[in-house]
Amino acid sequence: MHPDATPPTTDDLSRMLGQVLGDTAQPSVLSPVKVQSVATEVADRLMTAVAIGDYLPGERLPGERELATILDVSRATVREAVGRLQAVGIVEIKRGRTGGAYVRASWTEATASAVRRTLLPRWPELEQLFDLRCLVEGLVARTAALRRTDEDLAAMRVALDGYAQARTLGQEQVADAAFHSAVLAATGNPKISALSRDMLTRVSLGFPVEPYGEDDPEDYQRALIEHRKIYEAIAAGDAEQAGSLAEEHFTLTSDMMRAMLERAQERAAR
């Protein structure tokens, strides 16, 4: 950069990334489904979302109207797709005031084919998005380290305690989200927060939740240790350390999704 040049602002960064990611034309990861059978594509994406842990066993899927908005399809298409998930045992439909489609199993005989059909065509772009997301989350952690307040640090500690005390995968997922939300809040910049959440949605196939995989004690311990190190770096105001740790931490998502695709490929080879 020329010594007299003005460094880019957050607005500049958001605008440049918007151009790369396509503010007006969504990439294939999020694009409206356009195949011979739209319901099949929607069912595949929902099965894949369950397989990668966007939605965990026992959890309720978003309602019909919300799913139609997320996937840019009709409610009738969503209804048909959810019916397919029910038919293969992935969800069960409950009636009444708290009714809806609840996840029964993260993986069934139908899952491997759905994961392959969903992830394989998107994989080159997903690899790029994984890389970009790590860089963005590094920016988030660096900014948080420079701007965090005592209140921000207290919120991170509460989330860390929740993660350490979690006894179920669902509790882990909630505490994990709380920790990263506290780090985002510490940036003090809504545009950075929006950029981070946009990247999450893109790597999660359009669903605004962190892919969480299956219950793996090794992944849990790794995440717990990394959360604590990120917190310590932010608390110490060490921006470079916080950023480097965050970039490494967010490879967990790509590692997990790659493992799910490999599992699906292995099933196909049998």
Side-chain angles (χ1 to χ4, degrees), residues 170-187:
Q171 290 172 352
E172 290 174 28
Q173 190 178 44
V174 169
D176 178 82
F179 176 73
H180 290 296
S181 291
V183 175
L184 271 178
T187 67

Side-chain angles (χ1 to χ4, degrees), residues 152-231:
D152 293 324
L153 294 175
M156 291 179 212
R157 287 194 298 271
V158 169
L160 279 175
D161 289 344
Y163 197 82
Q165 296 166 10
R167 293 295 177 265
T168 68
L169 198 59
Q171 290 172 352
E172 290 174 28
Q173 190 178 44
V174 169
D176 178 82
F179 176 73
H180 290 296
S181 291
V183 175
L184 271 178
T187 67
N189 188 320
K191 289 187 179 294
I192 292 178
S193 297
L195 178 59
S196 171
R197 293 191 175 100
D198 178 66
M199 293 307 305
L200 167 61
T201 300
R202 289 172 185 272
V203 300
S204 302
L205 304 175
F207 301 98
V209 286
E210 186 74 49
Y212 218 72
E214 297 180 309
D215 197 359
D216 187 327
E218 290 186 6
D219 283 347
Y220 168 74
Q221 285 299 324
R222 174 187 164 184
L224 179 59
I225 291 169
E226 291 180 357
H227 283 175
R228 286 172 173 163
K229 288 182 177 179
I230 292 169
Y231 167 77

